[in-house]
Amino acid sequence: MTDVHATSVGRVTPQLAEFEQPLHLQSGGKLDGFHLIYECYGERNADSSNAVLICHALSSDHHAAGFHDGNQPDGWWEVMIGPGKPIDTNKFYVVCCNNLGGCNGSSGPSTINPATGKPFGPDFPMVTVSDWVMAQSLLADQLGISRWAAVVGGSLGGMQVLEWSRRFPERIAHAVVIAAAAKLTAQNIGFNDVARQAIRTDPEFHKGDYYSHNTIPRRGLRVARMMGHITYLSESAMASKFGRNLRHKETFDYEFDPEFEVESYLRHQGDQFVNRFDANTYLLMTKALDYFDPAAECNGNLDAALSAATADFLVLSFSSDWRFTPERSREIVRALQTNHLNVSYAEIEAQQGHDSFLLDIPDYLHIMRAYMNRVARVIKHG
Amino acid sequence: MTDVHATSVGRVTPQLAEFEQPLHLQSGGKLDGFHLIYECYGERNADSSNAVLICHALSSDHHAAGFHDGNQPDGWWEVMIGPGKPIDTNKFYVVCCNNLGGCNGSSGPSTINPATGKPFGPDFPMVTVSDWVMAQSLLADQLGISRWAAVVGGSLGGMQVLEWSRRFPERIAHAVVIAAAAKLTAQNIGFNDVARQAIRTDPEFHKGDYYSHNTIPRRGLRVARMMGHITYLSESAMASKFGRNLRHKETFDYEFDPEFEVESYLRHQGDQFVNRFDANTYLLMTKALDYFDPAAECNGNLDAALSAATADFLVLSFSSDWRFTPERSREIVRALQTNHLNVSYAEIEAQQGHDSFLLDIPDYLHIMRAYMNRVARVIKHG
């Protein structure tokens, strides 16, 4: 057994949870029923007090750790979750589900609408962070988990953690909010809308019903991802990784084929993404980001919006993250402190930009490990 | 006469300069002949020693000041050029031409190729900052201007100023380099390539020959401009201007029509741009930006690349410009200082991001006015 496997949760089998009751959504829409795909890692203890919920970000899913086929671990948070890792599956029972509206097994635009026998497409209702948390709470009910030892997430996942902490304070002991924000800035909303416009104006979009035309809005989704990818990295990370290096040549050819390495890298990222992600889901996820703003319910007062929270918090930001800057995390920290909550905050020096929350950054993993050791103290043994 | 007119150059008539000699381009390509459209403001003195050249940026043109039709001044640098303005047309004879490859009257992809009787389209050769400066020097020859009192430009225009200073040191007394860089970063190249991919993968692009299909790659150019526009503003400028304000409503409608003001603003910017700018020109201009890197000719040594320069320099940057950051300007300043040149540098506190160089920012205009007064001392009177 290699080292990779010694610290991996190994082969995992996704599971499906069916919900037959109607789900009333924040938008006023409704789903008559839905299903969520999820994975679990580690052993659950007798009273489920070691359960940790992982909330995923924009373009990931339930497959946070381990592997399905082959034998190479390929979960999106492999650095974080596993035996001996910061979220240690020797201690915790870890659950991660694909969010409602997703494209990797949970009910979403690309799944079959039982009412029509065809994919939902544009008829899938708009979903919000609040809806996701509600759906996750129903999953917790079904699994018999009354209270999470911790709810943990980065980026859009961190928004779900915030929502859990205020919506179900009695069901969450610790909240770990990484590289997140209490609301998007105008710049963020702008980038999201450019991405949406790229997709929605692609002639292959067919008003969202591209499934029935046997096509996908490949060009638009590719451009959206290329742009998004730039914003997940820092300028200095791109400078270190690519600089002005040319691709397989010494001098310019003065053509539109990629000349710089950064061009072929971004195009490759775009191409890969199109093959694994559904455009309608991308639209829904970006809208969920835009809509999230708990303070708006309280006349813009974030202190008031978080006043119901009782969890202990770890809030983390990354110095070079310009999409969700450290200042956005400090806003959250100030509001939590105003509510006299236990809050640990660290701004981690890291060059990798917003993507840092997914990466093997020793200071970051060290802090997570230390905090999760503290979380482990709430587990009841015996 | 209103105040607007008192400080405007008034009605201007663009002029056309024809060049019948072949122009050999940096790419190895060649134009058998070409034409440049240009405008002039102010009175030329007897020996043309009061001539100032303005170099334009990515998406602007020769129409820097005054008006053509109607009577409202609408030049892109109206704040800077006019009687009593920082570049004072009571003192200077100001020339601005549309660059080669442009779409507003100079030879470019949308002009007729004499060899075929059809628009050049994709057959128009790649052009570089160096080619532009060569073409501008031929225009200066034709106008009988042996030496510019100053060459002035912002952004891509500032790159042209740098190139003038090292290519034709004897023909430029003062160089004013605003919000520029000696080369693009990987991030900048990345954004440019996303823009190009948006255009080139638009089904209406037809490999650049959309003219003969009576269409334009409207969707791609619109998305490119929307994205570009975000990068020309600062996050804080967008926060001040739009924040999370909703458009004509109090609550969300949970739909894909614009909900936030910033969405409708960006879409409007994209729509407007498509009606005034040619997609092939946009492609060429972004490539010219990518290619510019004078230090590359000297093993990456910018000091050496600028060693031929003799002009006095004003270098300006803006604190919130994240596309061409103040650090990029300081790199230029250091190289000029190493070459023992007279360099004035200011980093102007401004919230408006890269677009600051086009805007009415008092500190900025004050510095420009003071420096141009110094430039005026090189003018020979009599």
Side-chain angles (χ1 to χ4, degrees), chain B residues 81-96:
Chain B
I81 303 165
K85 289 184 179 169
I87 300 178
D88 188 345
T89 50
N90 291 330
K91 297 173 184 168
F92 295 110
Y93 176 65
V94 179
V95 178
C96 184

Side-chain angles (χ1 to χ4, degrees), chain A residues 26-28 126 128 183-194 196-198 200-203 219-220 222-224 226-227 230-231 233-235 238-239 242-244 252-260 262-264 266-267 280 283-284 286-287 289-293 322-323 325 328, chain B residues 26-28 126 128 183-194 196-198 200-203 219-220 222-224 226-227 230-231 233-235 238-239 242-244 252-260 262-264 266-267 280 283-284 286-287 289-293 322-323 325 328:
Chain A
Q26 192 176 0
S27 64
M126 206 72 89
T128 65
K183 62 184 177 194
L184 291 197
T185 62
Q187 188 190 65
N188 277 323
I189 297 169
F191 278 125
N192 281 345
D193 199 50
V194 177
R196 288 190 292 261
Q197 289 298 297
R200 295 180 62 85
T201 64
D202 185 323
R219 304 173 190 92
R222 177 174 176 267
V223 163
M226 289 177 71
M227 178 186 69
I230 297 174
T231 71
L233 303 176
S234 70
E235 187 191 17
M238 294 186 77
F242 307 109
R244 295 178 54 86
F252 294 129
D253 290 321
Y254 298 100
E255 63 183 15
F256 287 102
D257 287 338
E259 304 231 56
F260 293 94
V262 66
E263 294 174 293
S264 54
L266 290 172
R267 294 187 198 187
N280 278 321
L283 296 175
L284 291 183
T286 60
K287 286 295 270 185
L289 273 165
D290 289 4
Y291 290 132
F292 185 68
D293 183 8
W322 60 277
R323 206 62 204 266
T325 63
R328 300 285 86 76
Chain B
Q26 191 176 0
S27 64
M126 207 71 89
T128 64
K183 62 185 177 196
L184 291 197
T185 62
Q187 187 190 66
N188 277 324
I189 296 170
F191 277 125
N192 281 345
D193 199 50
V194 177
R196 288 190 293 261
Q197 289 297 298
R200 295 179 63 84
T201 64
D202 185 324
R219 303 174 192 90
R222 175 173 177 269
V223 164
M226 288 177 70
M227 178 186 70
I230 296 174
T231 72
L233 304 176
S234 70
E235 188 191 17
M238 293 185 78
F242 307 108
R244 295 178 54 86
F252 295 129
D253 290 320
Y254 298 99
E255 64 181 17
F256 287 102
D257 287 339
E259 303 230 57
F260 293 94
V262 66
E263 294 174 293
S264 55
L266 290 172
R267 294 186 196 186
N280 278 320
L283 295 175
L284 291 182
T286 60
K287 286 295 270 184
L289 273 166
D290 289 3
Y291 289 131
F292 185 68
D293 183 9
W322 60 278
R323 204 62 203 265
T325 61
R328 300 284 87 76

